[in-house]
Each structure stands twice: as C-alpha cells, then as structure tokens.
Amino acid sequence: MSEYKKPIPVIQPWTSEFWRATKQHKLLIQKCNDCGIDIFYPRKYCPECWSSNLGWSEASGKAKVYTYTIMMDMVEPKFMPDLPYVLAMVDLEEGIRMTTRIVDCDPQDVAIGMDVEVVFEDISEDCALPMFRPVTGKKKDKDKVSPAQNETRPPDTIEMSTDSYQTIMYEVGGANNSICRITLNRPDKFNAINRQMARELIHAFRNIRDVSSVGVVVLSGAGKEAFCTGGDLEIFPSLAEHQNCLNWMGHEGLDVQRAITDCEKVVICKIDGHCLAGGLELALCCDLIYAKESARIGTTEINMGILPGWGGTARLPRSMPVFRAREIVYSGRKDYTAKEMYEMGFLTRVFKDDEFEEKFEEIVAGIASKKPIALRMGKEVMARSAEGGSIETALAVERNGITWLTYSPDIQAVMDMYREKPGRLVEQQKKA
Ligand SMILES: [Zn+2]
C-alpha cells in the first residue's frame, strides 16, 4: 500500500467494530437490540431510545444513488489530484442513507437512481473506506429516453457546437484568450430573441464556463440599432397554448438566465441602441452593464397586458431602488435614456457616444487582465451577498473562497513576489 496522503478516519471505541469490518471488506450497520432500529453512522447510544445495547449486522452492499454532485474544483488541496470525482448519497437496500463516493466510472455516467455496490479502498492498517461503483450493465439506463419523452423536448442543445450558431456570434480572443465575445446577431430584427437564439445562448454560456483562460464575457448586439428588443413577436402565435408558453418562459427563458448567471465568468453587457423588454432582462443577468449615452431602455410588456417574464419583474427590484424599479415596470416606457437609468441606480456607467467604444474596451481589458479564478470567486461571493441571503452565508462563502484562492499555485507565486519585496504595492501605486 503506498502512503495515503489524505485525511484518515479517527477511530473511536464505538466505531472500531465498523472500521475493523471494512478491513475485511464488509459493510456493517449498527442495530439497536432494544428498539430494533438500524443506525448509521455508528454511535454510542441509540438515537431513538438511548439504549447502549447495540449490535451489528452486515449490509448486502447494494444501493441506489439518492443524489450526487461532481466535484470539479474548490476542494481541500489534498483532494485536488482526485478531481473530478463524485460525492454522493446512496440508499442501501437495508434503508440506510450514506454519504460516499462513486468510483470506477466516468463521473458523467452517474445518475440518480443508479444501482451501485460497495467497494473498499484500503488506506491504512486499521481501516478501508467504503465507496460505491456502478453495478455493471446498469449504468447506461439513464441514456434510454423513451420516444414519447423525445417528442416533447425541444431540439437538444447537445447537438450544437460553437461553430454552428445561426443567431449569435461567439469568439474567444484578447490577451491570453481571456475574453469571450458573444454577440446577438439578428440586426435586421433588432436582435430579438427567438427560440434558436435562446438555445444558442444557453449553449454558448454553458460552453464558456469550461474555458479556463476566459475571465470575461462581453454580451452585445450586432448593428447600431439595438442591443436587443426582447422576445421576437413572430414566435408568439406558436406560444398560443399555455403549455408552449410555459415552456418558453419556464424552460428556455429560465435556462438562458441561469446559463448567464451560472457561467462563472464576469459577464459584461454592452448596450448600444435600444435595450427593451427581454433585452433588458438579459442585461439584468449580467455582472456589469455599460451603456452608450444615446441608448434607450425600458420594459414594454405591460403595454400588451403582460409583465417582464424572463426574470425582469423579479430582478429589477433587486437591481435598483424598488420605487424606481416599479415605475419602469408599470409605465411601460421604452424611452428611458441611459443617463436617466444610471441616475435611477440601474447601470454601471454611461459614456458619451464618441468615447463609448474606447472607454468600454479599456474596462473590459482591465478586468480581463485579472486572474479568472479570482474573478469567478468574486462573482460567487458577491452573488450570495447581493441575493439577500444571510450575511453569515455570504461570509462563509467568502472565507472558503479566499482560502481556496490562497492555496492556488499561481497565486502563491504572486504572493511570494510581494513577500520578497514588501514595498512593491506602494511603488506600483506611485507609478500609477
Ligand atoms: Zn433503540
């Protein structure tokens, strides 16, 4: 057995029987001899009747995956070499739910409900770790999609590639390939969003999440007329049934929003021209919003008797003072100037038309020059805080994130540089 570098379980008198069994590759379940319940994890006393008259029985080792997550990053440094790996909760045949790892398979093949069986990894003289692997022959079940299911699903975005987009442009470039530009590309339709564009945006933002060189995504519209004027009204007849409408709002709409907010890059929205209705809602999903002075902004849905349904009604009041957000939704005005919106607390900045490109690109390049992992962590922590969760939650995410950043090897190198030359920060300040 080669030396095991990860943490080893601390064996207590009341868990020693359990760990002894793992050395013989047996999985034990603790039993209460008085009230009869199964107990997991092993304890001193029965949690039901407080009896200390406890015994053991051997589990079959057969289980089903109850839930799981794939660890891609952000783990304790000693677990880094294992990435990616699957953390799961499995339900044993005997009714016990265990936290464990799923091993011996591609993480992508793991599915909820999958049949798994126990395997043991010998890690020390005293114990082995119970883990689970797919029962051979069963792991492909999740790929079987019945024909009926297929019919109701929109054409799958999995078939798409970043070269095949018809309604958006997608380009990775800039210094060290740190910038991705995603451009809504239906200028003759004022970059209105149809179903194809929604699917392409979902695909593009999910795709960019895995490109580690990229720290910044610029979302803009092609042409000079509009950033985006919202949902393409041509698709509305196709939404005439409740079911279709629900799919458009609830599936495509929500998936676009989530793809943008979950993409882990700093998404910068560039508003040149009209930014209306669903266009404003796209902007609301971004991290920063810059507008040209001549841009015109608003939500117009109420003029048709509906409301912003792609997150706008929910997000506007979280993005600016609520008494101003209400006016924007209720008035249906489509002619708010960029300056008005800025004064109402909505935009990051407004630049004069003739300076816009230069100033905007300066900001993009500046942010793109920072470490993508630090940007990503900043996004995560600020989202937790801004979403209105408890401050303790946000602080916990912050502590965790900064600890993780501090351990990252390339950031260690930067910190060493400052340690060797403490005056460096001040010198840089003077130069700037
Ligand atoms: Zn009991």
Side-chain angles (χ1 to χ4, degrees):
M1 200 186 320
S2 63
E3 199 202 338
Y4 189 76
K5 298 211 173 68
K6 288 172 282 189
I8 286 176
V10 178
I11 297 174
Q12 308 283 8
W14 57 92
T15 62
S16 60
E17 187 66 29
F18 175 86
W19 291 115
R20 211 174 0 256
T22 62
K23 282 308 282 184
Q24 282 135 38
H25 292 190
K26 285 182 184 163
L27 184 62
L28 295 189
I29 299 173
Q30 203 176 24
K31 298 254 171 205
C32 175
N33 293 329
D34 284 335
C35 76
I37 66 157
D38 291 333
I39 303 166
F40 192 85
Y41 49 92
R43 276 169 256 205
K44 271 188 193 168
Y45 303 103
C46 168
E48 194 66 33
C49 73
W50 298 103
S51 166
S52 56
N53 178 16
L54 306 175
W56 301 91
S57 67
E58 191 183 340
S60 69
K62 305 262 180 265
K64 277 187 193 300
V65 174
Y66 170 70
T67 188
Y68 70 100
T69 185
I70 303 177
M71 303 303 292
M72 306 293 288
D73 213 328
M74 295 279 299
V75 294
E76 208 277 335
K78 285 174 181 153
F79 287 86
M80 287 284 199
D82 296 2
L83 294 172
Y85 61 85
V86 179
L87 271 186
M89 293 173 90
V90 299
D91 286 337
L92 299 186
E93 265 183 353
E94 292 79 6
I96 294 292
R97 184 167 291 164
M98 263 181 87
T99 304
T100 184
R101 271 168 70 167
I102 308 293
V103 294
D104 295 347
C105 67
D106 183 335
Q108 300 300 335
D109 288 339
V110 176
I112 288 173
M114 179 190 228
D115 290 306
V116 290
E117 61 192 5
V118 73
V119 283
F120 290 88
E121 185 187 358
D122 290 294
I123 60 168
S124 79
E125 307 271 294
D126 304 315
C127 69
L129 292 181
M131 301 191 180
F132 286 78
R133 71 176 174 211
V135 176
T136 332
K138 296 268 181 158
K139 64 180 175 183
K140 287 291 169 194
D141 276 10
K142 68 159 182 159
D143 295 335
K144 286 181 203 153
V145 177
S146 70
Q149 256 174 304
N150 257 334
E151 278 165 26
T152 56
R153 278 169 46 177
D156 219 288
T157 48
I158 294 162
E159 303 293 320
M160 231 175 242
S161 83
T162 54
D163 305 324
S164 70
Y165 298 147
Q166 295 159 31
T167 62
I168 64 173
M169 293 186 280
Y170 173 99
E171 181 205 346
V172 173
N176 306 314
N177 282 329
S178 58
I179 304 170
C180 173
R181 292 178 196 270
I182 296 176
T183 311
L184 311 176
N185 192 25
R186 298 179 78 215
D188 52 327
K189 304 274 183 193
F190 303 101
N191 300 317
I193 308 165
N194 59 13
R195 292 192 122 150
Q196 180 72 17
M197 186 187 277
R199 286 177 202 131
E200 290 178 3
L201 284 170
I202 295 164
H203 185 269
F205 277 97
R206 283 183 184 160
N207 186 73
I208 198 62
R209 175 179 166 152
D210 294 331
V211 182
S212 58
S213 66
V214 168
V216 169
V217 178
V218 174
L219 180 63
S220 63
K224 291 285 161 206
E225 293 290 331
F227 162 67
C228 174
T229 52
D232 190 339
L233 293 180
E234 283 171 22
I235 66 168
F236 273 67
S238 77
L239 304 178
E241 309 167 26
H242 266 112
Q243 186 60 38
N244 273 337
C245 197
L246 200 64
N247 285 344
W248 170 238
M249 296 293 181
H251 295 169
E252 278 118 332
L254 203 57
D255 285 349
V256 172
Q257 295 170 45
R258 293 222 166 104
I260 298 175
T261 56
D262 293 351
C263 87
E264 299 182 353
K265 313 292 180 186
V266 176
V267 183
I268 307 183
C269 183
K270 179 182 183 186
I271 302 179
D272 183 352
H274 295 280
C275 172
L276 301 174
L280 180 67
E281 298 181 279
L282 274 190
L284 278 166
C285 297
C286 299
D287 296 277
L288 298 161
I289 315 173
Y290 295 93
K292 219 180 203 180
E293 203 170 32
S294 60
R296 290 296 177 267
I297 300 165
T299 63
T300 53
E301 288 87 344
I302 201 151
N303 302 331
M304 297 187 284
I306 55 173
L307 285 167
W310 274 36
T313 315
R315 281 203 171 89
L316 262 180
R318 288 184 179 224
S319 310
M320 61 193 298
V322 66
F323 293 101
R324 299 173 188 184
R326 289 185 184 128
E327 186 193 274
I328 293 170
V329 173
Y330 295 152
S331 74
R333 273 180 58 189
K334 55 182 181 184
D335 61 349
Y336 282 102
T337 65
K339 234 172 154 194
E340 271 179 293
M341 289 298 269
Y342 177 76
E343 281 162 4
M344 289 170 83
F346 177 67
L347 298 165
T348 309
R349 276 172 199 281
V350 181
F351 294 119
K352 289 201 172 70
D353 284 21
D354 55 351
E355 297 175 343
F356 182 68
E357 282 301 324
E358 191 188 337
K359 299 245 178 184
F360 180 79
E361 287 306 324
E362 218 173 89
I363 289 166
V364 170
I367 297 174
S369 72
K370 314 302 179 200
K371 300 257 182 216
I373 52 172
L375 295 174
R376 170 180 161 192
M377 189 53 60
K379 174 164 180 157
E380 181 72 27
V381 177
M382 286 192 272
R384 289 294 152 274
S385 196
E387 277 161 9
S390 80
I391 186 69
E392 285 305 326
T393 307
L395 288 172
V397 178
E398 182 186 273
R399 272 196 309 279
N400 221 353
I402 285 146
T403 309
W404 173 72
L405 286 174
T406 308
Y407 274 107
S408 135
D410 52 343
I411 286 170
Q412 280 289 315
V414 179
M415 304 230 314
D416 286 345
M417 212 165 72
Y418 281 108
R419 267 197 294 272
E420 281 158 23
K421 216 176 161 201
R424 192 181 286 263
L425 268 178
V426 180
E427 279 167 31
Q428 278 180 345
Q429 192 85 51
K430 280 184 190 154
K431 255 185 247 168

